[in-house]
Every structure is written in C-alpha cells, then in structure tokens.
Amino acid sequence: MGKKLLLEHIDVPGINTLSVYRSKGGYTALDKALKTMTPDAVVEEVKTSGLRGRGGAGFPTGMKWSFLAKPEGVPRYVVCNADESEPGTFKDRYLMEKIPHLLIEGMIVSGFALGAKSSYIYIRGEYFYVARILEQAIAEAYEAGLLGKNILNSGFDHDCYVQVGAGAYICGEETALLESLEGKRGNPRIKPPFPAVAGLYGCPTVVNNVETIAAVVPIVNMGGAAYAGIGVGKSTGTKLISASGHINKPGVYEIELGVPVEEFIYSDEYCGGIKGDRKLKAVVAGGSSVPILPADLILKTANGEPRLMSYESLADGGFASGTMLGSGGFIVMDESTSIVKNLYTFTRFYHHESCGQCSPCREGTGWMEKILHKILHGHGSISDVDLLWDIQSKIEGKTICPLGDAAAWPVASAIRHFRGEFEEFVRNGHSIKDVRHYYRLNGLPEPAYS
Amino acid sequence: MAKVTIDDVTIEVPDGTTILQAARMIGGDLVPPAMCYYSKLKTSGGYCRTCIVKVEQGSAKDPRPMPKPVASCRTTVMDGMVVRNITSPEVLEARSGVVEFLLINHPLDCPVCDQAGECHLQDLAYEHGKEETRYEFERREFEQIDIGDKVQLHMNRCILCYRCVKVADQLTDGRVHGVLNRGDVAEISTYIQNSIENDFSGNVIDVCPVGALTDKTFRFKSRVWYTKPVDAHRDCPHCTGKVRLWYKGDDVLRVTARKDKYGEVEEWICNECRFDKKTTSDWVIEGPSKVDRHSVISANHYENLRVLKATIDRQKKALPHGEKVNLGQGALDPNNIHGK
Ligand SMILES: Cc1cc2nc3c(=O)[nH]c(=O)nc-3n(C[C@H](O)[C@H](O)[C@H](O)COP(=O)(O)O)c2cc1C
Ligand code: SF4
Ligand code: SF4
Ligand code: FES
C-alpha cells in the first residue's frame, strides 16, 4: 500500500465534521504553524517539499508563493481554484465532499504563510452541494475559533469565503477566475501582470488548486524534507488521480508519485485492470487536454523504459511520444473505443467552452468540431485530416490563455498516433460503429497505432 | 531607454514602450497589423492576434528566445530585444492563420457594406489572406440591431476586437454596452438594445475596424471611395470640433473624426458634430485631408499602394509557398511543439 497523506482518514465516519477531523489529528498543522513557525518558515517548508501545483501546469508551489509581491499597506489574497471542470477530473470534488476541513485548514495555513487576511474558494457552479458542505465546515471552524479574529490566540486574523461559479470551464483559468470572482465576465486576463503582482481587485494574489492547498497540511505536519522523500525525482509527494473509463475500479486514488503506469492500470490496489479483460487501446493521462497516448507508449516510453506516474516520466519524449500528468484525470480506453468519436466529444467541449476573446480559439475550435463531425459521419476526405492538423497548429501557442492549447493538443495527438483510424472513417465513415469491429468483420489487419 | 531590433532595424525607445509602438516609431512595412489595439483606449489589444511577432532574443540580459509568438501590442520591449515580423516565415504563416480565422465566419458582404474601402479587415485579407477559403460550413448569423437611432450593429461582421466596449467603458458614462454569451456566439450588445445615450457614443463607429458599427445617417449614401475627405473645424461646446467631412459634390455625406495612418482617431468627436452638422456652413474648411493609409479599393486618393505591393512581394519571398506540411508519422519535429 502506498502512503496516503490526504485521503488517509477518508473512510472514517463523520470525518466531514470538525470533531472527528480533529480527533484524527486535524488542525494540528494550523496549530503548529501559528504557534511555532513564522510565515516565511512555512513558505520555506513548502519550497523544500518540492510540491508542484496539482491544477494542471505543475508549477512549483513554493516558488509561486515566493513570487508574491508584498507592498506595504496592500492586502494580499489566497484564492483556491475549485472550479474543477476538465473532463476526466473529479478528485477535488471527492476531497471537498468527504474531508472539507482538510481544505479549510490548508486555506488558513496558506493565508498565514502568505500574510493574507482573506481567502476565497471559487467552486464550480455544478458543485453547489459541495459548496454547502464547505460552508458548513467554515461555520464550524469559526465557532471553534479556527477562523475569524485572533485564531488560536495567535493574533492572526483570517476570513474564508466560498464563491460559487456559474458554469464555465474557462473560469478555472486563474485570471478568468479572478475576473469572475470580482463579479465580471469570466474572460482570461492578458498577462503580464501576473496574479502574484496584480490579482484579485488588483492586489497580489496566489491562486492554487484544491489539492495543492490541501497538501500544505501534511507538509507542515511532517516537514518539507519528509514530504520530498516521498515520490520520485522532482515529482514529490502524493497525487490524487481521477481514474475513469474502461477499468474495473474507477474512482479517486491517492498514489505516491512514481508508481508505474502499468501497475496503476492493472493492479487491484488501483484500477484493477481493463473491464472484461479487453485490450488497452489508449490513455489520456492527465485530463482531456493532454495528448492521448496509444497503449504501447503509455506503458513504456519511446526508449523502452517503463512509464511512471510522475511529471517527468509522463512527459518523456515531448509531445512526439509523451504526454503530461496535467490534473491527474486518467481516462482509460479499451480496444472498443473509437478515437475519432472520442476526439469529437473533446473538441465539442472546447468549442463550447471557449470564451471567445481571441480569434484563433474562438473561430478555430468551432471549425475543428465541424470538420470532425463531418469525418465522423462519413462525409470527410483525407484532406480534411490535413486541414484539421493545420488548424490546430494555428491555434496552439497563439492564444491569450492555454485553453487554445488544450483544444489543439488532443487533435494533434489523435492524428499523430491514430491517423489510420481517421482515414478509415473517411473511407467507410458512417458504417463504422466500432472501428475494431470493422477490421474484424472485414478480415483486415489493424492499422499501426503509433 | 531600451534598444530593440525589429526585422534587422534597430531603434532606441523609452522603457515601457510596446513592440508595436516601437515598430510604429520605425515605420514602414515592418509595422505589424493591429485589429484590436487602439493607442487611445486603455487596456485595448491582445485579442485579435494579428499583431503577433516572434521574439528571437528576449533581452541583452536574458537572450533566450520567447517560446511562443507574442502579441506585439501587449508586450513591452526589453533592452537588447530582437524581434522578427515580416522577416520570419513562421510569423507570416501564423498571421495568415489568424486572418483566415477572422474570415471564416465573416459574411463577406463587402458589396453592401458601408465600411468597404476603409475596412481594416479588407486590407488585412488583401495583404495576408489566401485566395480561397477552406471553410465550407454555414457562417454564423446574428440579427441586425439598432443601437439608438444613429448607429447600427451588424454583428455578423464583428471581429470582437472589444474596441467599442472600451469606448463605452472609457468615454461614456453609465455603460450599457458589452459582450454577451461566449465563444463563437459571443456578441456585442447593449442593455435591452438600449441606445448608448451619450454625447460621445458615436465614436464606436470610428473605432470599429470593420463594418459592424456603422453610421445610420450615412447608410447606403455612397461608397466611401466616391467621397472626398476634407478637414474642417467648428467651435463646439462638447469636443474640439476638429473633424473630417466626406463630400460628394457639394453635399457633406458623413462626418468622422480625423484618423492617422493606422486608422486611429486623432481626437474624439461628439455626436452633435458627427450626426447633426451636415452643411458646409456649419464648418470652417481647412482643406483636403491627406489620407496616407493604404486601402484596398481607394487607390485613387490613397498613396501607399505601391509600398503595399512591395511589402507583399517581400513577404512572399519569406514564405515557403506551395510547400505542403508533411504529416507522416514521425515527421513531427518535437522542437516545434510548444507544449511545455
Ligand atoms: C482553461 C483552463 C481551465 C483550468 N481549470 C482549472 C481548474 O478547474 N482547476 C484548477 O485547479 N486549475 C485549473 N486551471 C489551471 C489554473 O489556471 C492554474 O494554473 C491553477 O489553478 C494553479 O494552481 P496550482 O499551481 O495549484 O496547480 C485551468 C487552466 C486553464 C487554462
Ligand atoms: S484561448 Fe480561448 S478561452 Fe482563452 S482567452 Fe482565447 S478565446 Fe478565450
Ligand atoms: S462591433 Fe466593431 S468595434 Fe465593436 S467589437 Fe465588433 S468589430 Fe470591434
Ligand atoms: S492588435 Fe495586438 S492582438 Fe490585436
């Protein structure tokens, strides 16, 4: 069994309540930070821990914290990104729903470390019931003197608020989130300035993912060095993985970073293998926006090394043969999956969620969706596949925010690794329900997938 | 001061200058096209992506190149920065992509559009676009709406440059003008189709780079290239009263602000000057306007067409035309992927 730092007590009945949470060692990190540490010392521990942002980009959290501008007399804010809307990602919901106080404790400790008197949890609109769970936990914390004025007699004041979004994936992008939090249209801001200098209401702000903030609690409890001892290389600590797709045991798993992908998919401790013992076809390892990899490349790198669940190993080979850990949305597809259909679904999502500010993403995402729809229904031509490739290349890297990239990468990787399947659809389009089935029926050799 | 080199031309500019402004200081064909940036409107720019350039060297201190093309209108220069615009095939290719994106849903109704002849999208398409469209689907359509009795909004033609939104924000009070919805169905709108009742609301017409916001008092009166621009002024209680009159014969068909060669107004004008003063006797005439912005159709009194042709030739040389991108498996160069 791997070490569990976040979900250790998840199955304890009543762990969502303050009393049970405390009985399991809850709020000791807050107590320790307030009574025995300076704010800078907490930042140092986070730096030492090697913790990297769990929201998708994997930016080192300690470094992000140390960039926070600290002008005199200007308030600073901690904002928790609980917008979790990336298809395939549902770990933050699980954590907040089951053990809300872990996040609240993390918020207060982070607020202390960063000198923020207020913090906000921005939660996606569809999680309205989770917002109530958080509010309940916050109310309990106020009552116990863990929030509000003079927390645990330390002289530190902190208030924490929950804000519910209104249903837009783009509001998970940190600057769109801040706009939305300010009550404006959720358009990403043009950077610079970065939130660390001018964030919420123009004040220095740190935006972190739910899991990132929760991880601060075990880091303070056990010390940054001990945390850094878990995991592999620069992928330290544990990570929540949302596992879904054709596996026997879908769910949220806390893994020590560095578990081999093969073990994660096939061992009974995690996904428990592919449903019905079918063959693995492909995996989207980090949420819908990261490149899809065919079975051979997700299990082993291009050099033949076993692929590990870590930031570095998953990215090995660049985008030509690798992918990203992203938010940890691990989507497994067996041999019955149509890559083209799946891509269409993803592309439709990005088209629907584009904020429309910049031309390549606003226009390109819809165009790609239409072409994929055409191919899927048997009206496409080979040149449409080339056109798709060209469009994605003209979106990638040319937009205001990374949603453009997120829309382009799935398209690029699907064509890169499964071009044969697109061509099959072009040739036989609407008659194909299941691509593999088609090959079998016609006694054709399957196209090489990579 | 910072020294910056754009397409091999070096200039020294004050700190805080953007790449686009620096290019404009140099002038000529290396100035990136700008469809959304507007120097007189704060926080404008960054949206359309036509002005993207490549930063080959970040600064003297940190010479690393920037990994992705940047919007020149929103990127400030650093000392020792080296920028490529029309000497980079990559930039030109990316820009032609942006132009294509701007056109796929555009109605291309130039023959019935009052903006034709002074439309920045026409210029851009002429200079950077391809001859044929690769878009074969239905173009999106919106209802045409009136914004008050003087301004009409043709949302189909809008490129969502946000300039009119900034005018509403920065020039008029009690803003009722903004963007509704998102993605490719986002649209400019006014609160319950309210007019933007304000002395300066007419300026949205001048900032609109396309024919999305047009002057109803000029509607279908004439093609702009049949009208003759004349600079004039009057004593105006609201604005400086410095305008441009557009004559056909002895009739003033239209009044606009005076615009520079980048199509930006020199000074905002009020609605009274724009909509209500349409006789010569209202004005003190200064003389024919010098219009030096190149434009597709208005070659007769626009001077820069020759320069434009030369630019296009130069760009063509830089672009590997006819070279098809090879998509074969494994042909992908991982160095060209800006994923991480
Ligand atoms: C379109 C888009 C959607 C995003 N959605 C989320 C999200 O739902 N949750 C999240 O934590 N980060 C999301 N991010 C990443 C955030 O912008 C930001 O990087 C993150 O909140 C930083 O936190 P971290 O450093 O703790 O990962 C999104 C980014 C983009 C571009
Ligand atoms: S990339 Fe897409 S979502 Fe991001 S700012 Fe541009 S249009 Fe909006
Ligand atoms: S109406 Fe004109 S000015 Fe306003 S956003 Fe559209 S193109 Fe820009
Ligand atoms: S002019 Fe720079 S992005 Fe539009």
Side-chain angles (χ1 to χ4, degrees):
Chain A
M1 278 293 266
K3 213 175 176 64
K4 302 229 183 314
L5 303 178
L6 304 175
L7 304 186
E8 192 183 349
H9 304 297
I10 203 88
D11 293 326
V12 177
I15 192 70
N16 59 326
T17 62
L18 181 61
S19 53
V20 177
Y21 179 70
R22 277 190 130 164
S23 73
K24 292 288 169 193
Y27 287 102
T28 50
L30 179 64
D31 198 70
K32 179 175 174 189
L34 291 184
K35 294 192 175 146
T36 67
M37 296 169 81
T38 62
D40 286 345
V42 179
V43 176
E44 268 320 303
E45 288 303 323
V46 172
K47 263 195 197 162
T48 311
S49 75
L51 174 67
R52 293 169 65 172
R54 304 299 196 218
F59 192 81
T61 306
M63 206 190 291
K64 187 187 249 185
W65 284 18
S66 60
F67 288 156
L68 186 70
K70 298 187 170 155
E72 274 303 306
V74 180
R76 301 190 277 274
Y77 297 106
V78 172
V79 174
C80 171
N81 189 342
D83 194 56
E84 191 169 63
S85 318
E86 174 109 339
T89 311
F90 41 85
K91 63 184 176 83
D92 295 343
R93 181 189 68 192
Y94 187 68
L95 190 148
M96 293 185 288
E97 207 180 306
K98 297 278 183 181
I99 184 161
H101 281 287
L102 184 63
L103 175 60
I104 308 301
E105 183 177 4
M107 292 294 282
I108 310 168
V109 175
S110 306
F112 172 70
L114 297 165
K117 288 204 164 50
S118 316
S119 61
Y120 296 84
I121 301 172
Y122 183 95
I123 187 165
R124 75 178 279 197
E126 292 85 345
Y127 288 180
F128 55 90
Y129 65 101
V130 184
R132 276 194 218 122
I133 295 173
L134 289 174
E135 271 162 2
Q136 173 80 34
I138 287 174
E140 280 182 306
Y142 270 108
E143 212 161 291
L146 299 164
L147 268 171
K149 295 253 173 288
N150 192 20
I151 296 170
L152 299 172
N153 292 321
S154 63
F156 174 63
D157 306 336
H158 192 81
D159 291 299
C160 182
Y161 307 90
V162 178
Q163 176 61 50
V164 181
Y169 170 61
I170 192 57
C171 289
E173 194 282 335
E174 54 186 12
T175 57
L177 186 154
L178 295 175
E179 288 284 294
S180 174
L181 199 49
E182 288 177 13
K184 301 183 193 143
R185 182 185 163 81
N187 277 0
R189 294 177 183 168
I190 293 159
K191 284 154 269 187
F194 290 93
V197 176
L200 188 61
Y201 303 114
C203 301
T205 302
V206 159
V207 183
N208 273 129
N209 174 257
V210 171
E211 187 188 345
T212 314
I213 290 177
V216 171
V217 173
I219 288 170
V220 167
N221 274 331
M222 69 201 288
Y227 187 89
I230 303 167
V232 51
K234 282 187 184 157
S235 301
T236 60
T238 64
K239 171 90 190 82
L240 300 183
I241 304 290
S242 324
S244 66
H246 300 130
I247 45 178
N248 284 317
K249 291 165 56 195
V252 176
Y253 294 100
E254 180 168 8
I255 59 160
E256 281 185 35
L257 284 163
V259 172
V261 173
E262 188 157 7
E263 180 184 337
F264 184 70
I265 297 177
Y266 290 102
S267 89
D268 280 335
E269 192 183 342
Y270 305 111
C271 304
I274 312 284
K275 260 200 180 139
D277 281 331
R278 286 197 293 265
K279 241 173 83 183
L280 175 68
K281 178 170 185 180
V283 171
V284 174
S288 59
S289 57
V290 311
I292 189 171
L293 286 184
D296 51 351
L297 281 178
I298 188 68
L299 298 176
K300 286 201 166 52
T301 67
N303 299 331
E305 311 263 327
R307 186 87 73 183
L308 309 179
M309 300 286 281
S310 73
Y311 293 95
E312 292 77 22
S313 179
L314 283 168
D316 186 284
F319 278 9
S321 64
T323 179
M324 286 165 79
L325 178 60
S327 59
F330 196 85
I331 310 170
V332 179
M333 302 174 188
D334 74 15
E335 54 190 336
S336 69
T337 315
S338 161
I339 300 298
V340 182
K341 261 191 189 169
N342 173 70
L343 179 64
Y344 171 68
T345 308
F346 282 180
T347 305
R348 197 176 55 171
F349 173 79
Y350 289 109
H351 171 211
H352 187 257
E353 298 299 333
S354 162
C355 83
Q357 270 191 118
C358 51
S359 338
C361 171
R362 178 182 66 239
E363 307 293 346
T365 50
W367 192 4
M368 293 195 302
E369 184 199 325
K370 290 192 179 80
I371 295 173
L372 277 165
H373 186 270
K374 187 179 151 197
I375 294 177
L376 198 57
H377 288 81
H379 307 301
S381 59
I382 297 287
S383 66
D384 284 326
V385 185
D386 296 344
L387 180 58
L388 262 185
W389 180 274
D390 192 52
I391 297 171
Q392 68 78 22
S393 76
K394 282 177 170 147
I395 300 175
E396 194 221 359
K398 292 161 195 85
T399 54
I400 295 175
C401 88
L403 190 140
D405 300 341
W409 293 339
V411 176
S413 56
I415 298 179
R416 189 182 298 130
H417 299 299
F418 296 95
R419 194 183 161 95
E421 211 167 294
F422 286 82
E423 294 180 354
E424 221 25 73
F425 260 93
V426 164
R427 278 194 281 274
N428 301 296
H430 52 294
S431 66
I432 309 182
K433 285 232 168 54
D434 163 355
V435 179
R436 228 187 113 90
H437 184 60
Y438 169 84
Y439 290 121
R440 278 203 209 119
L441 270 185
N442 293 282
L444 295 171
E446 275 193 66
Y449 287 138
S450 63
Chain B
M1 296 296 276
K3 219 184 248 174
V4 53
T5 306
I6 305 173
D7 285 339
D8 304 317
V9 183
T10 303
I11 186 174
E12 207 164 334
V13 297
D15 292 329
T17 308
T18 62
I19 298 173
L20 181 70
Q21 284 162 338
R24 285 184 178 182
M25 289 174 195
I26 299 171
D29 57 5
L30 56 74
V31 183
M35 296 293 285
C36 67
Y37 170 75
Y38 209 78
S39 64
K40 275 123 202 133
L41 295 171
K42 278 185 286 220
T43 72
S44 67
Y47 305 109
C48 72
R49 317 308 281 181
T50 51
C51 72
I52 48 176
V53 294
K54 188 172 147 183
V55 176
E56 212 169 55
Q57 175 174 321
S59 68
K61 265 202 215 116
D62 182 356
R64 285 177 304 170
M66 293 192 182
K68 299 172 182 180
V70 299
S72 61
C73 65
R74 294 294 289 254
T75 310
T76 44
V77 299
M78 304 290 276
D79 193 36
M81 188 183 263
V82 178
V83 178
R84 296 230 164 259
N85 178 24
I86 62 167
T87 49
S88 158
E90 197 187 312
V91 168
L92 295 178
E93 183 64 25
R95 186 170 295 140
S96 83
V98 173
V99 176
E100 184 174 30
F101 287 134
L102 288 175
L103 289 171
I104 59 170
N105 273 303
H106 192 78
L108 301 175
D109 57 348
C110 311
V112 294
C113 175
D114 282 330
Q115 189 89 358
E118 54 183 20
C119 173
H120 288 234
L121 189 57
Q122 272 186 331
D123 296 354
L124 193 71
Y126 182 66
E127 199 174 338
H128 302 277
K130 303 228 160 69
E131 268 136 45
E132 308 165 355
T133 177
R134 300 188 289 176
Y135 190 73
E136 49 171 326
F137 305 97
E138 261 177 47
R139 287 158 200 260
R140 66 168 167 260
E141 279 180 23
F142 297 90
E143 298 272 315
Q144 213 161 291
I145 60 170
D146 285 335
I147 301 184
D149 56 347
K150 299 289 187 352
V151 184
Q152 188 160 61
L153 170 64
H154 278 264
M155 190 56 213
N156 290 351
R157 299 174 186 155
C158 171
I159 59 159
L160 281 172
C161 71
Y162 279 72
R163 284 179 182 174
C164 59
V165 179
K166 312 264 171 193
V167 167
D169 263 347
Q170 295 168 28
L171 252 67
T172 69
D173 34 49
R175 165 184 155 177
V176 290
H177 179 109
V179 179
L180 282 186
N181 300 328
R182 70 178 178 222
D184 59 5
V185 292
E187 60 180 305
I188 296 296
S189 192
T190 52
Y191 182 59
I192 324 185
Q193 303 193 0
N194 248 340
S195 55
I196 10 179
E197 286 306 346
N198 188 289
D199 281 346
F200 286 85
S201 61
N203 287 295
V204 297
I205 299 167
D206 279 343
V207 300
C208 185
V210 293
L213 290 165
T214 49
D215 182 344
K216 281 174 73 180
T217 66
F218 177 61
R219 199 140 190 259
F220 299 148
K221 287 259 171 70
S222 170
R223 312 275 28 183
V224 293
W225 58 91
Y226 294 135
T227 61
K228 198 168 162 262
V230 167
D231 285 358
H233 65 264
R234 66 184 266 267
D235 239 347
C236 173
H238 312 297
C239 67
T240 61
K242 291 186 188 160
V243 302
R244 188 157 288 163
L245 307 177
W246 297 77
Y247 275 96
K248 189 165 182 183
D250 292 334
D251 299 331
V252 177
L253 293 191
R254 175 170 81 129
V255 183
T256 68
R258 298 180 190 176
K259 295 188 185 176
D260 65 16
K261 64 174 153 191
Y262 299 112
E264 292 191 12
V265 304
E266 281 162 18
E267 271 158 304
W268 307 109
I269 63 168
C270 69
N271 287 0
E272 187 177 308
C273 287
R274 184 186 304 273
F275 298 123
D276 303 332
K277 300 289 169 193
K278 294 222 176 161
T279 43
T280 305
S281 58
D282 291 328
W283 299 98
V284 180
I285 305 294
E286 294 171 19
S289 315
K290 190 175 162 295
V291 178
D292 57 3
R293 196 172 78 81
H294 63 246
S295 193
V296 187
I297 305 172
S298 322
N300 31 358
H301 36 230
Y302 293 77
E303 294 164 5
N304 273 357
L305 210 66
R306 195 177 43 77
V307 183
L308 173 64
K309 289 229 172 76
T311 307
I312 293 175
D313 285 347
R314 225 171 119 187
Q315 296 189 356
K316 274 193 178 147
K317 258 183 234 144
L319 252 187
H321 263 295
E323 207 175 274
K324 219 166 163 11
V325 193
N326 181 359
L327 303 177
Q329 275 147 10
L332 203 84
D333 178 3
N335 298 322
N336 275 336
I337 300 168
H338 313 298
K340 289 225 74 193

